[in-house]
Every structure is written in structure tokens, then in C-alpha cells.
Amino acid sequence: RVKDFSQDSILQRQIRAATAAARMQNPSADRAALQVVFDQTNARSSAEFETALRDTFGDATLQAYRYFNETNGVRQIANQLATALFYSDTPLTAPQANQLVEIMANNARTAQGKIDPSAMNHEAVLAQAQSVLSEPQHAMLRKNQAQWTLRLSGATPKPAGN
């Protein structure tokens, strides 16, 4: 039998069970009480998933998994750039995308060491990306930077003329 390594399905089962147990103990549990149950279950599930991943595939795979998740926010930005350049004369290559993710991650670290795209130093990213991207790719990165900043902040652009 193949183990189910889908963290989402494991987590969903555990959250449903924990929520049901919490509601049985306290039928009037409010949203805040259920959030505590969710957070605890999520943390426990993540730890169990990572243990199973390490035990099955080794520490290098666990580290790659953690890095991939940690860089997800900046990876989405690189994916958006790749999409914007897909039909151009200079599409983004996988090695370029990986280097760009590294550059953005290194320039989006908070004081706590977490990668936060909303804390990204865009000027530094643009300067460092020049060594990785062609001029048309770099121009697209500059063009889309303001739009990404708005998205990351949760703001919506105002319609023109307002």
C-alpha cells in the first residue's frame, strides 16, 4: 500500500476529527475556540508529515520541501513573470526562474529570518536580477513590480481617472 503523502488530505482529516471532538466537548464553541483547534491540529499535522517525509525520503528531501514552502510567495512572483514572458522572444528559463527566486528570497527576509514578499527590497532585486535576466526580461520585471507590490499588500488598483 502506498502511503498518502498529501499533506492537505492528512490535514483535512485531522482538522475534521479535531473540530468534531471540540464541538462534542463544547457545542457552543465559537470561531476563536475552533481557530485554536485548527492551529494546534495544523502544527501537529505538519510535524507528523515532515517526520514521515524525512523517514521515507531522507533529510535532503525534507530540507528541499521546507525551502520550497518557505519560498512559495516569491516563487509565485517568478511564475507570474514567466507567464508574462511565455510568448515573448525571451521566455524565462527554469534556471533563470530559480535564480530569481533566490534573489527575491534573499531580499525579502524579515528580522525574524522569514521570507515575506511584502517586505521585499525591490531596488535590490532589480539590481541583482540584471545579472540573471536579459534586458527584455528585466524590463518586464520592472513593469510588473508595482502591480505585484499592490497584490502583495492586498490593495486593489484604483481605476484610471479616479
Side-chain angles (χ1 to χ4, degrees), residues 67 70 122 142:
Y67 179 75
E70 183 183 36
H122 293 284
R142 283 191 312 267

Side-chain angles (χ1 to χ4, degrees), residues 57-146:
F57 298 107
D59 199 48
T61 300
L62 175 60
Q63 295 309 315
Y65 168 79
R66 285 179 176 165
Y67 179 75
F68 185 84
N69 283 338
E70 183 183 36
T71 59
N72 188 47
V74 294
R75 192 172 302 283
Q76 289 177 13
I77 295 169
N79 287 342
Q80 290 170 1
L81 180 63
T83 299
L85 293 168
F86 186 77
Y87 289 109
S88 74
D89 291 336
T90 56
L92 196 65
T93 66
Q96 285 178 308
N98 289 333
Q99 288 175 304
L100 187 58
V101 166
E102 282 291 320
I103 290 168
M104 289 187 291
N106 290 336
N107 288 286
R109 292 219 179 255
T110 64
Q112 296 79 25
K114 302 281 184 188
I115 297 173
D116 180 0
S118 67
M120 190 180 311
N121 179 339
H122 293 284
E123 292 78 22
V125 169
L126 285 172
Q128 294 170 24
Q130 285 181 316
S131 66
V132 173
L133 303 176
S134 69
E135 182 48 43
Q137 292 169 330
H138 195 262
M140 182 63 75
L141 178 64
R142 283 191 312 267
K143 178 181 173 188
N144 289 324
Q145 198 166 48

Side-chain angles (χ1 to χ4, degrees), residues 4-15 37-55 62 65-66 69:
D4 180 4
F5 282 102
S6 168
Q7 185 176 13
D8 289 339
S9 65
I10 293 169
L11 180 58
Q12 288 169 356
R13 287 192 302 266
Q14 291 179 342
I15 288 173
V37 170
F38 171 81
D39 291 343
Q40 291 171 344
T41 304
N42 190 27
R44 189 173 42 253
S45 176
S46 292
E48 290 170 3
F49 177 80
E50 288 187 1
T51 298
L53 188 64
R54 181 181 36 244
D55 291 350
L62 175 60
Y65 168 79
R66 285 179 176 165
N69 283 338

